[in-house]
Amino acid sequence: MKMICAIIKPFKLDDVRTALATAGVHGMTVTEVKGFGRQKGHTELYRGAEYSVDFVPKIKLEIAAASEQVEEIIEAIIAAAYTGKIGDGKIFVYALQQAVRLRTGERDLEAI
C-alpha cells in the first residue's frame, strides 16, 4: 500500500477530483494549506498599499491506494492539475504500513 500526497493549486481541485474518480479512487482527504517553494510567495495590492504574501494557498490531497494503482493515480493528477506555470505543485508517494477501518475492523487493502 502507498500514501499519495499531492499539493495542487486550489482552482484545480474539481478537475483533479473528477480525474481521480475516473481512475477508480473512492476516497481522499483534502486540506487547505499554505506554503512556498521556488515560487517564494508574491506581492499583492490592497487599498493602494503593496504587501508581500509569503505563503501561497494550496490544496493538499492525501490518497491511500494499492501499490498497483499508484502510477495511474499520479498520471491522473498530473493531467488534471497541470497548467505549465510555476507553482503547479508536487506529488509525494510513501509507504503505508497499515490501514484499519474503525467501524468494521477491516485492515490494509480491505480498509481502503
Side-chain angles (χ1 to χ4, degrees), residues 64-110:
S67 298
E68 302 81 40
Q69 288 183 291
V70 171
E71 281 306 314
E72 183 180 4
I73 292 170
I74 289 172
E75 292 304 319
I77 294 169
I78 290 170
Y82 177 82
T83 66
K85 296 185 171 81
I86 192 166
D88 270 354
K90 298 257 191 308
I91 300 173
F92 306 99
V93 179
Y94 46 94
L96 182 60
Q97 296 292 71
Q98 187 176 34
V100 179
R101 182 173 305 191
L102 294 175
R103 180 177 55 87
T104 62
E106 293 171 302
R107 293 180 179 268
D108 300 330
L109 289 177
E110 291 80 26

Side-chain angles (χ1 to χ4, degrees), residues 7-71:
I7 310 296
I8 63 170
K9 291 182 175 185
F11 68 90
K12 285 297 198 171
L13 178 59
D14 288 336
D15 295 341
V16 172
R17 182 176 173 226
T18 302
L20 289 172
T22 303
V25 173
H26 301 296
M28 70 184 86
T29 300
V30 178
T31 311
E32 293 180 9
V33 296
K34 292 182 181 186
F36 71 92
R38 291 185 185 153
Q39 201 172 359
K40 304 257 194 302
H42 61 280
T43 57
E44 289 187 5
L45 198 61
Y46 179 73
R47 294 188 179 184
E50 190 173 285
Y51 66 97
S52 177
V53 177
D54 295 328
F55 294 101
V56 180
K58 298 287 184 177
I59 295 292
K60 179 180 179 182
L61 303 173
E62 293 173 296
I63 304 157
S67 298
E68 302 81 40
Q69 288 183 291
V70 171
E71 281 306 314

